[in-house]
Amino acid sequence: MLKLLTWRADWSLNIEALDQDHRALIAHLAGICQRFSPEVSSVRDGNALALIEALTDLGEAVRAHLQREEAFMQAFGYADIGEHQSEHAILMAEFTAMLREWRAEGVHVFDETIQAMVCDWLLAHILGADHDFADAYFQMCNRDDIPPDRQRALAQLRFTGAAATQSAPTPSSPMISSARRA
């Protein structure tokens, strides 16, 4: 049965520029599900090349997003950017390995197993490292409205302090969603 991944508000970083990218990536993934799910592919011959091309396009969209995310981090001197960049490199290496495997197997249907792998791959980063980054960003912007369950993660983050906030986008910036503004 076709299960489409849809954006959920609790996944939001409350940084509109990044959330917009994340929503677009989720929509891109949903489009692949609609196009290559077993329900759709069972009524026509599956096209392995088309599925691999669609997944490659998703990978490139993720890569472009990660570059924008890193530029955002650099803009305000996020101290853990090196670690985050390493996570991005690992993320893309994992995706490349999955693509190679699927290409070698001639996968032509985006079945539940593959859907789950790709969803887990993408969401693990958004809900983990990206949320930790957002918490650090808002802490650096002197925001005190971070939910208590996420404040614990802040204690483990290091950041450069006042010097870094000089070039940081501010909570009044249009890049920040109103949910994070006081």
Side-chain angles (χ1 to χ4, degrees):
M1 173 174 249
L2 181 63
K3 297 178 188 175
L4 291 182
L5 183 64
T6 56
W7 181 257
R8 292 178 22 187
D10 60 325
W11 295 347
S12 177
L13 303 180
N14 295 307
I15 301 171
E16 187 55 35
L18 300 180
D19 283 338
Q20 183 177 353
D21 274 2
H22 290 160
R23 285 189 298 270
L25 292 171
I26 298 297
H28 193 142
L29 182 54
I32 294 171
C33 289
Q34 289 175 321
R35 206 169 142 206
F36 296 100
S37 71
E39 294 82 3
V40 173
S41 294
S42 66
V43 296
R44 63 171 169 75
D45 288 334
N47 184 333
L49 182 58
L51 175 56
I52 295 301
E53 286 176 359
L55 290 168
T56 300
D57 288 346
L58 174 65
E60 290 306 314
V62 170
R63 185 181 315 280
H65 159 69
L66 298 178
Q67 291 170 344
R68 285 188 295 275
E69 190 174 278
E70 290 170 8
F72 185 87
M73 291 174 179
Q74 287 175 333
F76 74 92
Y78 180 53
D80 288 338
I81 191 169
E83 183 178 334
H84 207 96
Q85 287 171 319
S86 293
E87 288 187 34
H88 288 172
I90 291 167
L91 194 70
M92 292 311 300
E94 290 170 346
F95 191 73
T96 299
M98 288 187 292
L99 265 177
R100 282 186 185 136
E101 181 179 328
W102 297 329
R103 184 176 287 124
E105 293 173 358
V107 170
H108 62 279
V109 175
F110 200 55
D111 64 23
E112 286 186 38
T113 301
I114 297 173
Q115 288 176 32
M117 289 173 70
V118 177
C119 289
D120 291 349
W121 168 79
L122 182 57
L123 288 176
H125 185 73
I126 293 171
L127 301 179
D130 282 357
H131 272 253
D132 292 344
F133 158 70
D135 289 342
Y137 172 76
F138 285 104
Q139 185 72 19
M140 289 179 71
C141 291
N142 297 316
R143 303 295 302 169
D144 59 2
D145 58 347
I146 299 167
D149 62 322
R150 291 179 55 202
Q151 288 179 2
R152 288 185 292 278
L154 285 173
Q156 298 175 12
L157 292 175
R158 293 173 289 114
F159 44 88
T160 58
T165 61
Q166 291 175 0
S167 62
T170 64
S172 61
S173 165
M175 292 177 61
I176 308 302
S177 72
S178 60
R180 285 283 188 164
R181 292 186 203 141

